[in-house]
Amino acid sequence: MGRVWLHVAGESHGPGLTAILYGLPAGIPWESDRTDHWLRLRQRFSGRGPRAGFESEPTQVLAGIKGKVTNGGPLQLYLPNRDSSGGSQTPEGEAQPIRYPRPGHADLAGALKWGLSQADGVAELASARLTAAYTAAGGVCRQLLSLLGIEILAHVVRVGEAGTRRRAFLRGTRLLPLVERAEASRLLCLDARAEPRMLAQIASAKETRDTVGGEFEVVVGPLPAGLGAPQPLEARLDSRLGQVLMGIPAVKAVAIGDGMLAGRARGSRFHDAIRFAAGKGYTRPTNRAGGLEGGMTNGEPLVVRGVLKPLPSLGTPLASASLEDGSAGPAARVRSDVCAVPTAALAAGALVSVVLAGAILEQTGGSTLSEVLGRFHGNDR
Ligand code: EPS
């Protein structure tokens, strides 16, 4: 992730989650209100299960902040779990061992890996609860980017069969008003016409005790050209973004710009022509490349998308087989969310911020915020 590293540890129903961010310069203001704002936002999205409502503990700082600013050392955050019961529960709230693994979950693969006859411990590790820690820690990087004049929009573009119109509303617009608009929505959605259709997708999945997936988009700008590098693999911004976004539970596909459509297109229709104007520099009339070429930013806004599968905890479970004796039976019924696309979108925005903060700091160096600001803007203030 460039010069910034994020490590997270914790179990879904353990005492809490820890996030450690290494590599931040000293002097970034710690604004707990902003971090907690994103955590509160995750709670009120439609499609969340009962647990989202009560996981409301504020983030605690254990290290890395002195006098309300980062001190240059590792930043250690702690998010206590209100549900620290130690294991999964049925939708009715009863504690239960997972003996019949859920298709699509880590239950079976983890039980085989560790030789278990119950998958509870696996479910604790494979939980999307960890995205709360990504969101909190990434929020600090998001704030660093904002101090550099860079804004991040994370929004939902599809829930099941209901999609937004393709990006018409993003052209030539500043991101901040869009961020506010998306955050006012119950689904982190910018398209007021698509939102009711998305809500209907969630309602009908809930009614049939099913789940529904979808797609999110993260847009970042303005960005300077030249962040990242074509080589080695680890320096490419596309490979770094793919790594973190594919790491969000349930994400099954990641695309840069119009990458999902690229396989069908001719080169002459896909690539973005180059223009030059005095005073403006190089510009592109379209941004199908999503702001990345050769693993580097090209000066256009960065656009990345992620697709989530429907969550695997089903009210009407699929067929499964016992971890104890292989006997047939329905998969375990486990309390969960009906749709987690907005929550994943917010975590994606946070993780993209970590990657970009790392790439920028790699470029600027600097131990303090004022050094970074001076070098980023081309003067050593
Ligand atoms: C999750 C299942 C649900 C979600 C949880 C992730 O928890 P539980 O099984 O206890 O009902 O609420 O997400 C969060 C708590 C959160 O903060 O995002 C899962 O199985 O991944």
Side-chain angles (χ1 to χ4, degrees), residues 6 38-39 41-42 45 48 128-139 141-142 152-156 183 188 216-218 241 244-249 251 304 308 340-355:
L6 172 60
W38 287 306
L39 294 179
L41 204 56
R42 307 165 81 248
F45 292 137
R48 305 265 4 232
R129 170 73 183 140
L130 262 69
T131 58
Y134 300 156
T135 304
C141 293
R142 191 168 170 165
I152 313 255
L153 166 71
H155 67 128
V156 170
E183 291 189 359
L188 208 64
F216 61 77
E217 181 176 78
V218 178
L241 290 165
V244 295
L245 295 181
M246 289 299 292
I248 297 174
V251 168
V304 286
L308 262 85
V341 184
T343 320
L346 217 50
L351 290 172
V352 168
S353 307
V354 175
V355 168

Side-chain angles (χ1 to χ4, degrees), residues 12-13 17 39 42-43 48-55 79 81 83 85 87-90 102 105 123-124 126-133 249 311-313 334-337 340 343:
S12 188
H13 304 92
L17 310 173
L39 294 179
R42 307 165 81 248
Q43 293 189 285
R48 305 265 4 232
R51 183 165 176 207
F54 59 75
E55 287 298 354
L79 284 76
N81 281 333
D83 183 348
S85 53
S88 324
Q89 300 174 25
T90 61
R102 292 162 288 174
H105 210 284
E124 287 303 304
S127 168
R129 170 73 183 140
L130 262 69
T131 58
L311 299 177
S313 296
V334 178
R335 183 183 71 188
S336 187
D337 306 315
T343 320

Side-chain angles (χ1 to χ4, degrees), residues 2 15 30 78 102 150 172 177 201 224:
W30 165 252
Y78 183 64
R102 292 162 288 174
I150 300 165
Q201 290 281 312

